[in-house]
Amino acid sequence: MTEAILLVGGKGTRLRPLTVNTPKPMVPAAGVPFLTHQLARARAAGVDHIVLATSYLAEVFEPHFGDGSALGLSIEYVTEDEPLGTGGAIRNVASRLRSGPDEPVLIFNGDILTGLDIRALVDTHRTSGADVSLHLTRVDDPRAFGLVPTDATGRVTAFLEKPQTPAEIVTDQINAGAYVFRRSLIDTIPAGRPVSVERETFPGLLARGAHLQGMVDSTYWLDLGTPAAFVRGSADLVLGRAPSPAVPGRCGDRLVLPTATVAPDAKLTGGTVVGEGAVVGAGARVTGSTVLAGAVVEAGAVITDSLVGAGARIGARTILDGAVVGDGAHVGPDNELRSGVRVWCDAALPAGAVRFSSDQ
């Protein structure tokens, strides 16, 4: 297997006000655009040709990654005129694939951070003789997901919508967003219209008697669809919990990029990332957070599980806990922002404007 399709769909609106114009896959995670981790892991698994399928902002991806040679890849770009869904996006790039009819093609989702053993998924596909193989993962609470039960041999038996009652929870296995397709099957997906691979393609193949094989791999898995998950994923990359050959430098408690300035007595822990040109002042404490390029964290600020956007400024003694501060925003001294608060790009909060503390 030397070929893959990377699906970069949706506009990441749940991540606003994280940034104004940059799509989620290009926002830095552990020091590099998130998409870099996806591409590097595919290359490490033996992929050398990737078709990047997107419905938006291809002009952002191509100037950054170019032809892929810097990552040891050959990358092509296909942009949909209208959103086609996951299945439609796969079909839309079929003409760019180079594999023979019976050869495997890896397909993975640009919004998922995973420790999946890609080679093992491909090996499962080959040894089982499957038409399509799916990465499945187990979750503690599957009610928010579609379920994918399998038989004793790992063969998929059904695709079930989100369960509504305890009796409907027949498995804790869910679709984890990575697949291996027999190349010829991609051409059977209807062209020129939206198609959901989860709701139409897979159930249709199963109904026609196709062999769909599941491989349960319950290593690291995280959907990066929310700001909190994105910050968590970046920290886990730095800590080494989520594997990626693209993390610049060694895994550890913190990642400080070149040209950043951190005061000697500032404390950075929990996989914190400090971006290029950012400044962390004296006595500041930053835990499990991402401080993007050019941001300033003033003396004594305490930041936990939060994202500070590019060029933003966090005032002295301000507390952030589970917050997202957009690019260029200014949070004045002595504020306290907690519980998922969002500060829009370029917004300004004066000193002491917001607090959550008790008056006791």
Side-chain angles (χ1 to χ4, degrees):
M1 188 247 352
T2 61
E3 187 162 52
I5 300 170
L6 175 54
L7 304 175
V8 186
K11 297 187 179 180
T13 53
R14 286 184 292 166
L15 281 171
R16 298 193 72 182
L18 185 148
T19 185
V20 178
N21 295 315
T22 304
K24 174 174 55 178
M26 296 299 288
V27 175
V32 298
F34 173 67
L35 212 60
T36 306
H37 299 291
Q38 302 281 59
L39 296 170
R41 292 199 72 243
R43 181 68 190 98
V47 172
D48 58 25
H49 176 230
I50 288 184
V51 183
L52 194 152
T54 180
S55 59
Y56 73 108
L57 290 178
E59 67 273 14
V60 174
F61 305 123
E62 190 165 2
H64 185 86
F65 295 110
D67 63 2
S69 57
L71 293 169
L73 292 164
S74 170
I75 300 178
E76 297 185 62
Y77 304 84
V78 177
T79 304
E80 302 157 19
D81 294 328
E82 298 290 338
L84 294 173
T86 47
I90 294 168
R91 180 64 178 86
N92 192 50
V93 305
S95 64
R96 303 293 187 93
L97 298 173
R98 305 168 183 170
S99 302
D102 291 325
E103 292 182 321
V105 177
L106 173 69
I107 300 169
F108 59 113
N109 191 314
D111 291 342
I112 302 296
L113 180 61
T114 176
L116 168 68
D117 185 337
I118 296 172
R119 291 183 186 273
L121 180 63
V122 176
D123 288 344
T124 294
H125 181 78
R126 285 177 168 148
T127 57
S128 67
D131 297 301
V132 180
S133 298
L134 297 86
H135 172 210
L136 307 179
T137 192
R138 294 190 171 99
V139 294
D140 293 333
D141 184 358
R143 289 176 296 177
F145 305 92
L147 308 183
V148 187
T150 54
D151 66 16
T153 68
R155 189 161 180 161
V156 174
T157 58
F159 291 89
L160 306 176
E161 290 297 321
K162 297 176 183 179
Q164 302 300 310
T165 66
E168 293 176 324
I169 303 176
V170 297
T171 181
D172 59 357
Q173 296 173 179
I174 67 167
N175 178 355
Y179 323 111
V180 177
F181 270 65
R182 188 189 304 275
R183 167 64 185 88
S184 58
L185 278 186
I186 293 175
D187 292 329
T188 69
I189 300 173
R193 67 169 177 85
V195 179
S196 167
V197 72
E198 301 87 356
R199 293 188 295 274
E200 181 176 346
T201 304
F202 290 155
L205 287 170
L206 203 61
R208 295 194 297 272
H211 180 176
L212 277 67
Q213 186 75 17
M215 188 194 84
V216 178
D217 183 321
S218 294
T219 54
Y220 187 95
W221 185 85
L222 185 66
D223 183 339
L224 300 183
T226 66
F230 194 91
V231 172
R232 180 71 264 153
S234 179
D236 286 344
L237 284 161
V238 174
L239 292 166
R241 294 172 180 166
S244 170
V247 176
R250 293 184 177 182
C251 293
D253 222 24
R254 68 185 205 172
L255 173 63
V256 179
L257 296 182
T259 75
T261 302
V262 177
D265 62 345
K267 187 174 183 181
L268 310 179
T269 59
T272 287
V273 180
V274 181
E276 297 270 2
V279 176
V280 179
R285 288 181 289 147
V286 188
T287 304
S289 298
T290 296
V291 179
L292 293 181
V296 175
V297 177
E298 295 183 357
V302 179
I303 301 176
T304 306
D305 298 336
S306 297
L307 185 140
V308 179
R313 191 176 195 93
I314 308 302
R317 301 171 301 280
T318 282
I319 295 172
L320 304 181
D321 191 346
V324 174
V325 178
D327 293 353
H330 185 180
V331 179
D334 300 308
N335 279 288
E336 185 179 351
L337 307 181
R338 298 182 183 271
S339 304
V341 69
R342 307 287 182 258
V343 179
W344 202 258
C345 295
D346 300 317
L349 290 178
V354 178
R355 62 178 294 176
F356 279 72
S357 299
S358 166
D359 289 329
Q360 300 298 319

